[in-house]
Amino acid sequence: ESTIKELFSRDSEGVFRIWALLAFLLLVFFLAVITHGLAVPCGLVIPSLLIGCAYGRLFGRLVGTTMPWLNADPGTYALVGSASMLAGVTRGTLSLTVRIVELTNDLQYILP
């Protein structure tokens, strides 16, 4: 839970380095693939949230590094990445988006 909150956070700009995010993404993805292939009951919600957060934040960091005039917030990219990954895994759309936004407790993502 604290990892997901930290990945969504706006205040953790220098906490995650690009190479660390890439290593974390590959490790969690590899472990999720192995876990899903085992014949044991396990969930894919939290691993898919972590994978989405990691690739969203990684993409946000890369956008912020290559195009600094955009003032890209990596936490917002992590939110969009986790919603997209979870929607792809669970085949959910609108209700999942509402749940993800409720998770952040910030209405700026819903209201224009």
Side-chain angles (χ1 to χ4, degrees):
E1 180 181 350
S2 63
T3 304
I4 294 174
K5 284 183 181 179
E6 196 67 34
L7 283 168
F8 281 155
S9 176
R10 294 182 189 161
D11 300 329
S12 59
E13 183 62 36
V15 174
F16 300 106
R17 292 186 168 72
I18 291 177
W19 61 268
L21 281 170
L22 185 61
F24 178 73
L25 171 66
L26 293 175
L27 178 70
V28 172
F29 182 78
F30 179 71
L31 291 175
V33 167
I34 288 176
T35 305
H36 185 62
L38 293 175
V40 295
C42 61
L44 287 177
V45 174
I46 299 300
S48 63
L49 273 175
L50 283 173
I51 292 168
C53 282
Y55 82 72
R57 187 148 191 112
L58 179 65
F59 184 76
R61 286 289 309 268
L62 291 175
V63 166
T65 303
T66 58
M67 296 178 269
W69 63 88
L70 290 178
N71 294 328
D73 179 24
T76 304
Y77 283 98
L79 178 72
V80 171
S82 68
S84 66
M85 185 68 179
L86 197 58
V89 169
T90 62
R91 297 185 189 130
T93 53
L94 186 61
S95 64
L96 179 68
T97 305
V98 170
R99 284 188 215 137
I100 292 291
V101 171
E102 285 179 356
L103 178 81
T104 63
N105 202 16
D106 194 359
L107 290 179
Q108 86 174 23
Y109 298 113
I110 287 183
L111 301 174

